[in-house]
Amino acid sequence: VSVSPNPTLSEINIQIQSPISNELTWTLRNVLGQTLKIGKKAVSSEIFKFVIDLEDVSQGMYLLQIENGTIKKTIKIQKL
């Protein structure tokens, strides 16, 4: 899983390598653990890319959790 740019001003690009097609769930939380955004994507290729818009999120640190059955990863995101 890779995230760029980080830190970001408005959006982040997510790239995931997965050998199987399945559903991916992502959750954006603040540092207090409150859920701000949640989404689902159908992973349809070995290298899957998508964008999360953070325009409506205030400056600060956030935790992005990505799960797709075989992967569960939490990444720190900084919004400028």
Side-chain angles (χ1 to χ4, degrees):
V1 177
S2 66
V3 177
S4 65
N6 191 13
T8 186
L9 294 172
S10 61
E11 65 184 25
I12 51 175
N13 300 295
I14 312 295
Q15 180 174 309
I16 296 173
Q17 288 185 296
S18 178
I20 57 171
S21 296
N22 58 6
E23 188 173 79
L24 171 141
T25 303
W26 61 266
T27 308
L28 184 71
R29 293 185 175 92
N30 62 19
V31 292
L32 300 175
Q34 298 166 318
T35 299
L36 304 176
K37 291 186 172 213
I38 192 164
K40 292 185 179 187
K41 298 283 183 183
V43 177
S44 57
S45 61
E46 191 172 312
I47 298 177
F48 181 73
K49 299 176 185 179
F50 66 100
V51 175
I52 299 174
D53 181 18
L54 299 179
E55 194 71 38
D56 59 342
V57 176
S58 302
Q59 286 182 297
M61 293 296 292
Y62 298 92
L63 299 173
L64 176 66
Q65 184 176 40
I66 298 174
E67 296 182 64
N68 80 338
T70 57
I71 297 172
K72 184 175 182 179
K73 186 154 186 166
T74 302
I75 302 162
K76 290 182 184 178
I77 305 293
Q78 183 179 7
K79 168 78 184 293
L80 300 176

